[in-house]
Amino acid sequence: MRSKAEIIQKIKNAGLAAREGRSAPVLATVSGVLSTKPNLIRYCADELGFGLVTTKSFQVLPNPGNREPILCEPELGCFGNSVGLRNCGMEQAVKELKELRSSWKTDSILNVSLSASNPEDFISLLKGFEELADCFELNFSCPHASAGFGASIGCDPAIAAEYVKIIKKALPDCAVPIFVKLTPNVEDIGAIASAVIEAGADGITAINTVGPKVYIEPHSGKPILQNKLGGKGGMSGAWVFPRALECIGQIRKAVGEEIPIIGMGGVMTGAQAAELVRAGADIIGIGSACGMLEQDDLKPFFQNLASDALNCIRGKETDKTSSFLRKKRALEYEAKTIVKIEKESEDIIIITLNGKCKFEAGQFVFLWIPGAGEKPFSLAEADPISLIIKKRGPFTEALFELKAGDTIYMRGLYGKGIKPPKTENALLIAGGTGIAVLPALAKRLKKQGALVSTYVGTSEEIKKKEPNGIEKILIECGAYKKVADKGVIGRVLNQFQKDNIEGNTGLPIQGKAEKMGKQDFFTAYLVGPMIFMRRASEILLKLGVRKSQIFMSLEMNTMCGVGICGECSCGNILTCKKGTFVSLDQIDSVY
């Protein structure tokens, strides 16, 4: 671990070198965006090249945060957000960061963000993370946090300074520099910066989001975000950059040249990064821009942004970043009318919506009911749009209350469709509502010339029913068998094993062990709970199938759909960007 003085000097040196045009600005992730899980922290440091990586804000106890929607995009590149400081709590976070630190080889600074509603909890957090952090960031600025947290502290210079004084008195020998993250929602941010520095803070981070405000969805006339503040959320992205620039200038003027500043707020171009550097920022945080990019474009975007900033500082303005940014809003809702609802069982329905939506297996949409929330769903059919819904919680219960003629709101598509490798034989196995993912995949595989065999685990009630439209597609594509699992997750897998022994799988694979390890002969696609897919993969591996031939559809806890929250990640793969299908060898490389 580097010393406190080394970290402070490293940040100051980065700013001086950038302002003098000797090197490109050092870039940082910002709290709550992209670097929200250990594997993503490593990804940001090792692969994307961030010089400073910031965790999400951790609290003493776990916090589930706000229910979805947590993000909206009223204008292109302009976001409203209300995550609500969702985090796993100190105990789990310390465990995860210890494991991360045990193999930390990068020179990047690990900035641990902390949130509390009283000095005592901040002190506990600082003690808990002191051996793991290179730098601390005290969140005095979140505008949509519960009472007592975030901006409740940072809007008053006296309160903010008192917090810092109490913390420094309790931890006079803290070996990690303490930065305070300030809110822009004040008349004089410079005065607050001066107050916390005089109280003992080592540096300043700014800005957090602007606001909060309510964002009304135009079709419904209802607030999009869902929280205890009546749908209010902080503003981030392109529309806050002018305020960020103003605040950084005021802070630098107030605290002088020697205090390190991590500056952020709506930076989308190298020219904007250069402006923040000139205004006084030593390191430049990049947040909302992550939601404007494909995952494969993240690294070249950040590299070009830093290069453009350096050119701009040197007097030669270039723009190699704008071409990477998407040109259309990605979180826009479309009003849909429910055409019909088919009850498959007590806890499964098929909802058909008006219109059509061309998609590929691995892509998904979000459904939103104002006041009830939103969740992601795979599409089952494109024309008309149909989705299979299983009752799992409050939101799906609300879906079950709807009827034909009601309006629901849909956004998407998200993720990339899988491009299945050409093969002679394709096995598709799904549990329950996982069948929704299969029709588009089966049609594509059949079009590529593959023999397709599908196994679906379902209830006895559904098994007895005549095939629905989704099942008819699978029947047209090849062999199809549905197995009543009676609540036992492996029954459909047992049936496949039995059929394979008897040569009844619908695929000419019996006795072909020498070919099963070749992708051009056999591939498998698994959909369902991870425990189900793991068991299925074990069976296939014993048949000689290689991990690279087995693809799993990961139903992760996707919350935003645009690569900001990081909740959908499988290792360093953002499934909201890459699509839900991931090969087993990729999964095993990160788990």
Side-chain angles (χ1 to χ4, degrees), residues 147 307 475 543:
S307 174
I475 292 169
L543 294 177

Side-chain angles (χ1 to χ4, degrees), residues 332-529:
E332 190 171 4
Y333 291 98
E334 183 179 357
K336 291 291 183 183
T337 300
I338 296 176
V339 176
K340 63 178 178 178
I341 297 178
E342 301 169 84
K343 183 178 179 182
E344 290 288 287
S345 67
E346 287 301 315
D347 63 349
I348 295 177
I349 57 175
I350 299 175
I351 294 181
T352 301
L353 306 177
N354 70 305
K356 55 187 176 181
C357 179
K358 186 178 180 181
F359 72 96
E360 296 178 353
Q363 295 182 299
F364 60 94
V365 298
F366 281 82
L367 294 182
W368 173 54
I369 302 174
E374 74 170 2
K375 290 291 180 183
F377 295 92
S378 295
L379 292 163
E381 292 187 81
D383 185 11
I385 299 166
S386 67
L387 309 96
I388 301 178
I389 310 294
K390 182 178 177 65
K391 189 183 292 185
R392 299 180 187 274
F395 182 72
T396 49
E397 287 172 2
L399 288 175
F400 270 63
E401 295 296 318
L402 299 176
K403 59 185 182 300
D406 286 346
T407 299
I408 195 169
Y409 301 88
M410 186 178 87
R411 64 176 174 96
L413 292 165
Y414 299 101
K416 290 182 179 178
I418 185 172
K419 293 179 171 54
K422 193 170 178 61
T423 189
E424 293 180 29
N425 302 284
L427 175 67
L428 283 56
I429 303 180
T433 55
I435 190 176
V437 181
L438 301 184
L441 176 60
K443 286 194 288 187
R444 179 156 185 168
L445 287 163
K446 183 181 179 182
K447 188 175 181 180
Q448 291 180 183
L451 289 175
V452 180
S453 179
T454 302
Y455 282 75
V456 175
T458 188
S459 67
E460 189 69 44
E461 180 183 359
I462 293 177
K463 183 185 177 183
K464 292 178 180 178
K465 287 192 169 188
E466 289 296 312
N468 57 40
I470 295 165
E471 291 178 291
K472 287 177 181 177
I473 293 173
L474 295 172
I475 292 169
E476 290 170 1
C477 289
Y480 175 72
K481 185 170 290 187
K482 55 182 175 180
V483 179
D485 54 29
K486 298 180 181 178
V488 179
I489 201 165
R491 282 185 184 272
V492 66
L493 305 178
N494 296 339
Q495 184 65 52
F496 165 72
Q497 287 181 294
K498 180 176 181 294
D499 288 350
N500 187 50
I501 292 170
E502 297 173 355
N504 293 326
T505 62
L507 300 174
I509 59 175
Q510 188 187 35
K512 303 285 181 65
E514 75 285 355
K515 288 189 174 183
M516 290 297 283
K518 297 179 180 179
Q519 194 171 72
D520 60 357
F521 178 75
F522 181 86
T523 56
Y525 301 86
L526 312 176
V527 187

Side-chain angles (χ1 to χ4, degrees), residues 224-289:
I224 299 172
L225 303 179
Q226 185 158 319
N227 54 41
K228 295 177 182 178
L229 300 176
K232 289 182 179 180
M235 299 166 65
S236 61
W239 53 9
V240 307
F241 176 75
R243 180 59 178 153
L245 184 61
E246 179 183 30
C247 287
I248 295 300
Q250 291 174 354
I251 292 168
R252 177 55 75 197
K253 183 177 180 181
V255 301
E257 296 300 318
E258 293 302 310
I259 301 301
I261 298 173
I262 303 170
M264 62 199 65
V267 175
M268 300 277 182
T269 68
Q272 290 175 328
E275 286 189 78
L276 283 192
V277 169
R278 292 193 188 104
D282 294 303
I283 287 181
I284 304 301
I286 308 295
S288 297

Side-chain angles (χ1 to χ4, degrees), residues 164-237:
V164 175
K165 286 178 183 177
I166 294 171
I167 290 167
K168 296 293 286 188
K169 183 177 180 180
L171 302 171
D173 300 318
C174 181
V176 179
I178 297 174
F179 282 57
V180 174
K181 188 169 187 179
L182 298 182
T183 174
N185 306 310
V186 292
E187 290 186 8
D188 189 351
I189 195 170
I192 298 174
S194 293
V196 297
I197 293 298
E198 289 173 10
D202 298 297
I204 300 294
T205 305
I207 60 174
N208 208 319
T209 53
V210 176
K213 62 174 286 186
V214 175
Y215 308 89
I216 300 298
E217 196 283 319
H219 298 294
S220 64
K222 302 290 186 181
I224 299 172
L225 303 179
Q226 185 158 319
N227 54 41
K228 295 177 182 178
L229 300 176
K232 289 182 179 180
M235 299 166 65
S236 61

